[in-house]
Amino acid sequence: MSANKILIVDDEDIIVRLLAMSLRSDGYEVVTAGNGQQALEVLEKEAPDIVVTDIKMPVMDGLELLKRIKELDGEKEVIIVTGHGDIDSTITALQYGASDFINKPVRDEALAIALERAKTKIHIREQLEGYTKNLEQKVAEATEEIRRRASFQRLLIHSSNDAIVAFDREWKIVVFNPEAARIFDVPAGDVRNKMTIEDLYLPDLAKMFKAEAEKEKRQGEMPWKEMTLNLKQGGQFPVRYAVNVLHEKGEFVGIVNFFQDLTEIKRLENELVQSERLAAVGQTVSGLAHYVKNILIGLKGGSYVVDVGMKKNNMEKLKDGWGTIKKNIARVSDLTQDLLTYSKEREPEFEPCFPNEIVQDVVNLVYDAAKGKDIEIKADVAPDLGEVTADPRTIHRSLLNLVSNAMDACLEDEDTSKNFLIEVRTYTEPDNTLCLEVRDNGCGMDDNTMSRLFDPMFSSKGGKGTGLGLLVTGKLVEEHKGRIDTESELGKGTRFTIRLPFETVAQETLETGQGG
Amino acid sequence: MNKKVLVVDDDPDVRSFVVTVLEENGYSPLVAHDGVEGLEKIKAESPDLVILDVLMPRGSGIRLYRQLKTDESLKDLPVVMFTGIALRSFLKSQKALEEFNGEVPKPDIYLEKPVEPEELVQALKKKIG
């Protein structure tokens, strides 16, 4: 134990010396004083842990000393040595805060016990002081940490790029960060702890999030979704949003909404699409120049033949040249149409139509041309496919493009012993999918050609293709929310399948139509 | 006796144009739709010159040219070669020609469409008179 320095105060020198001797032999360090006044001086100089004092002394007695010591240090252990029957002094000493009493004559054992008690008290007090100090420190540290975390979280929420809106269990808004204030265009101060979910959101949205809270029995995160956020005061934002339903010990405590403003992203996406389209058109231009030149050559050649026909009055030549000119005028017209289709956004115009009839139209349209090139073309349509709602122009243009490609594929085939055949099929797949298939047994394509089919201005037909045909077909089909699949084998043939969603025309409409 | 010139081209517009130019300038035109028919006509009619479109379906223009230039009895038959029109096809035909450049001489006359009637006639006059 650390309390080792003891001050003995007594005016009887012999007692002081005896006690000092005895305590030193017990291992204590001992300082002494002959009266209270002296004792205070020694106390100041030596700072003993425990004071043992007699009461009756000259100059300053023990009670006065006790009083002074306690004034200086209320915790100091002071043991009073009392004479027999000195009850008054004892009571006074108690009132002044004496730690302990031992009777005169002082016996070593009694003193030893009193000292041990004092030492124990000092020790406990020291420990307690240590603990208290430590505890205060710890509380201070913890408080600081909590404060720091809270401020970090506040900062995090405050500076988040996401709009964060949190509701408590009463659907009152408790968190509303600056980004939320920006998106919803209300100052945070007007919202936080003042508004409820219904005050901020339109009824639909509030209902949706409330339903979400009902649904989510456990703590859950909804995946990010996109929507158009309509504001109460008008205006709208494309946003990504997420909902976190918060539970504590199984109990609903609130909900957090995150919103990300997609306006800029959408704008950039649109720009990208636009610039990609422009780039595609740019690539197209160089190839187109050659195609246009090709048409010009036709027109020039045709007009030369017409000139000769007129000069010689040769009807044959006139017809011939005029035919060439007309054919090339048609090519310009087709080209213009393709270019317009490709460069413009076009919404499909849905209307009731009979896909099987369109297929027959296309087959009839190219039948003679195909026959002239020894190519057989036939339609194989699903008999149960009646009237559907779709864009007949998309179907017609796409099929015509694919069929004309199929004819080219037959003409390019090295193997002339084949009986060239082009088949146009219709069939349906579940979920109202209309399938239009164009199959040929022509030259087929290698993987490289296949992979570039829908590239702008890619043509495997030399000067005879604009490179726009499949591009336009692809775009039409895409706008119709459909898709095109290609299968091909070099030397064997190619199969294109267009899949378009359609709606069946109600039977009664059909009957009414037929009846009328 | 007019000189006989065979036009081998799959494009009827080109055939009609070239035939008219030939007629107008005192040649006797013959026509073939592809390389196979072209070779038959050459053997049957022995034309004085062939105007050949390089880019025809099934690569038959290139093939006919090679057949002509590697055949002892036909290799001196003058050939006016028409190049394809689009840049891509022009390069394609160039490449195809280079593939047998070692064994086959370059075409006697190499004309790129569009060809003015005078240009064609000049080339013919220079070659066969």
Side-chain angles (χ1 to χ4, degrees), chain A residues 106-124:
Chain A
V106 178
R107 286 180 295 123
D108 285 347
E109 309 87 77
L111 182 59
I113 291 167
L115 284 175
E116 276 308 320
R117 269 208 296 261
K119 276 161 64 181
T120 308
K121 271 164 78 182
I122 290 171
H123 177 66
I124 291 171

Side-chain angles (χ1 to χ4, degrees), chain A residues 206-439:
Chain A
K207 226 167 94 184
M208 181 179 95
F209 288 142
K210 281 188 157 182
E212 208 58 53
E214 282 296 308
K215 205 163 62 185
E216 284 285 346
K217 280 302 166 212
R218 55 197 163 69
Q219 189 109 343
E221 236 173 83
M222 255 173 62
W224 286 89
K225 288 180 188 167
E226 284 190 20
M227 67 168 176
T228 302
L229 178 67
N230 290 297
L231 301 185
K232 263 206 149 168
Q233 65 270 41
Q236 50 176 225
F237 282 86
V239 291
R240 272 179 92 217
Y241 71 99
V243 189
N244 279 24
V245 180
L246 307 175
H247 289 92
E248 213 173 78
K249 292 175 186 144
E251 206 170 309
F252 172 68
V253 289
I255 190 166
V256 191
N257 293 161
F258 299 90
F259 298 96
Q260 293 174 347
D261 181 1
L262 298 182
T263 311
E264 184 65 6
I265 292 172
K266 290 280 177 207
R267 192 181 64 77
L268 288 175
E269 273 176 6
N270 276 342
E271 251 177 35
L272 188 67
V273 167
Q274 215 48 43
S275 66
E276 271 175 356
R277 185 156 293 162
L278 277 179
V281 168
Q283 283 173 47
T284 306
V285 164
S286 74
L288 274 180
H290 290 278
Y291 186 74
V292 170
K293 198 170 125 193
N294 202 2
I295 295 173
L296 261 179
I297 292 164
L299 289 171
K300 269 175 101 171
S303 58
Y304 175 84
V305 177
V306 167
D307 280 346
V308 170
M310 288 198 295
K311 204 168 68 190
K312 300 272 170 72
N313 205 12
N314 180 338
M315 201 37 93
E316 194 80 12
K317 288 281 172 206
L318 271 174
K319 265 193 193 161
D320 225 20
W322 188 238
T324 301
I325 289 170
K326 279 205 291 197
K327 199 191 299 170
N328 283 288
I329 288 170
R331 284 164 84 189
V332 174
S333 153
D334 287 350
L335 175 64
T336 314
Q337 177 102 45
D338 273 355
L339 279 176
L340 282 178
T341 308
Y342 186 63
S343 57
K344 257 193 332 210
E345 292 287 340
R346 178 181 172 276
E347 283 292 316
E349 291 161 29
F350 294 98
E351 56 186 71
C353 58
F354 291 93
N356 288 347
E357 285 181 6
I358 301 174
V359 167
Q360 203 54 57
D361 280 350
V362 170
V363 168
N364 292 344
L365 208 58
V366 298
Y367 189 83
D368 288 339
K371 203 174 175 192
K373 288 161 180 160
D374 286 329
I375 301 167
E376 189 189 349
I377 176 161
K378 64 181 187 189
D380 174 14
V381 296
D384 56 337
L385 176 63
E387 192 173 27
V388 302
T389 299
D391 186 339
R393 281 154 296 269
T394 294
I395 299 175
H396 192 272
R397 284 287 294 285
S398 305
L399 280 179
L400 196 58
N401 264 330
L402 292 181
V403 165
S404 109
N405 280 349
M407 276 170 52
D408 289 336
C410 294
L411 288 178
E412 274 300 320
D413 198 340
E414 300 275 344
D415 180 2
T416 49
S417 66
K418 277 184 189 172
N419 293 320
F420 290 113
L421 174 66
I422 297 170
E423 271 185 296
V424 187
R425 285 180 61 206
T426 60
Y427 57 94
T428 52
E429 280 178 356
D431 298 327
N432 277 4
T433 304
L434 168 63
C435 301
L436 304 158
E437 180 186 295
V438 177
R439 192 171 55 190

Side-chain angles (χ1 to χ4, degrees), chain A residues 300 312 413-414 457, chain B residues 23-24 58 63 88 116:
Chain A
K300 269 175 101 171
K312 300 272 170 72
D413 198 340
E414 300 275 344
M457 267 331 284
Chain B
E23 287 169 349
E24 287 299 294
R58 306 180 181 118
R63 193 175 308 132
R88 203 188 302 272
E116 294 295 329

Side-chain angles (χ1 to χ4, degrees), chain A residues 30-306:
Chain A
V30 181
V31 286
T32 61
N35 59 51
Q37 188 64 49
Q38 266 182 21
L40 286 175
E41 287 161 21
V42 176
L43 196 77
E44 195 185 2
K45 215 161 66 193
E46 300 283 344
D49 301 300
I50 302 168
V51 179
V52 180
T53 182
D54 189 18
I55 293 178
K56 289 199 176 69
M57 289 179 297
V59 189
M60 184 191 286
D61 67 9
L63 293 175
E64 182 64 18
L65 174 63
L66 171 64
K67 202 174 126 192
R68 296 278 192 91
I69 290 174
K70 286 292 172 181
E71 279 167 8
L72 289 171
D73 177 1
E75 304 287 326
K76 187 70 80 188
E77 295 296 323
V78 180
I79 298 168
I80 303 294
V81 182
T82 65
H84 268 296
D86 194 355
I87 298 298
D88 291 346
S89 299
T90 309
I91 291 168
T92 311
L94 264 176
Q95 285 170 338
Y96 285 163
S99 316
D100 212 344
F101 298 89
I102 47 176
N103 286 322
K104 276 187 169 177
V106 178
R107 286 180 295 123
D108 285 347
E109 309 87 77
L111 182 59
I113 291 167
L115 284 175
E116 276 308 320
R117 269 208 296 261
K119 276 161 64 181
T120 308
K121 271 164 78 182
I122 290 171
H123 177 66
I124 291 171
R125 194 165 55 233
E126 276 175 359
Q127 272 195 334
L128 206 63
E129 262 171 27
Y131 284 144
T132 313
K133 233 188 202 160
N134 217 354
L135 202 63
E136 277 170 4
Q137 175 92 15
K138 287 219 163 108
V139 169
E141 276 172 13
T143 310
E144 174 62 16
E145 176 68 15
I146 289 168
R147 197 194 58 75
R148 218 171 49 224
R149 280 192 203 174
S151 116
F152 180 70
Q153 280 169 359
R154 229 186 348 263
L155 201 66
L156 209 65
I157 292 171
H158 189 84
S159 61
S160 169
N161 285 333
D162 295 358
I164 302 175
V165 185
F167 305 91
D168 65 10
R169 74 184 80 195
E170 264 82 50
W171 297 101
K172 200 166 69 191
I173 297 167
V174 286
V175 174
F176 196 75
N177 71 347
E179 176 65 5
R182 189 188 69 80
I183 288 187
F184 288 92
D185 197 23
V186 229
D190 293 358
V191 177
R192 210 179 293 132
N193 298 319
K194 287 177 188 158
M195 283 192 181
T196 64
I197 191 165
E198 279 88 3
D199 300 327
L200 184 67
Y201 295 161
L202 283 167
D204 281 358
L205 197 60
K207 226 167 94 184
M208 181 179 95
F209 288 142
K210 281 188 157 182
E212 208 58 53
E214 282 296 308
K215 205 163 62 185
E216 284 285 346
K217 280 302 166 212
R218 55 197 163 69
Q219 189 109 343
E221 236 173 83
M222 255 173 62
W224 286 89
K225 288 180 188 167
E226 284 190 20
M227 67 168 176
T228 302
L229 178 67
N230 290 297
L231 301 185
K232 263 206 149 168
Q233 65 270 41
Q236 50 176 225
F237 282 86
V239 291
R240 272 179 92 217
Y241 71 99
V243 189
N244 279 24
V245 180
L246 307 175
H247 289 92
E248 213 173 78
K249 292 175 186 144
E251 206 170 309
F252 172 68
V253 289
I255 190 166
V256 191
N257 293 161
F258 299 90
F259 298 96
Q260 293 174 347
D261 181 1
L262 298 182
T263 311
E264 184 65 6
I265 292 172
K266 290 280 177 207
R267 192 181 64 77
L268 288 175
E269 273 176 6
N270 276 342
E271 251 177 35
L272 188 67
V273 167
Q274 215 48 43
S275 66
E276 271 175 356
R277 185 156 293 162
L278 277 179
V281 168
Q283 283 173 47
T284 306
V285 164
S286 74
L288 274 180
H290 290 278
Y291 186 74
V292 170
K293 198 170 125 193
N294 202 2
I295 295 173
L296 261 179
I297 292 164
L299 289 171
K300 269 175 101 171
S303 58
Y304 175 84
V305 177
V306 167

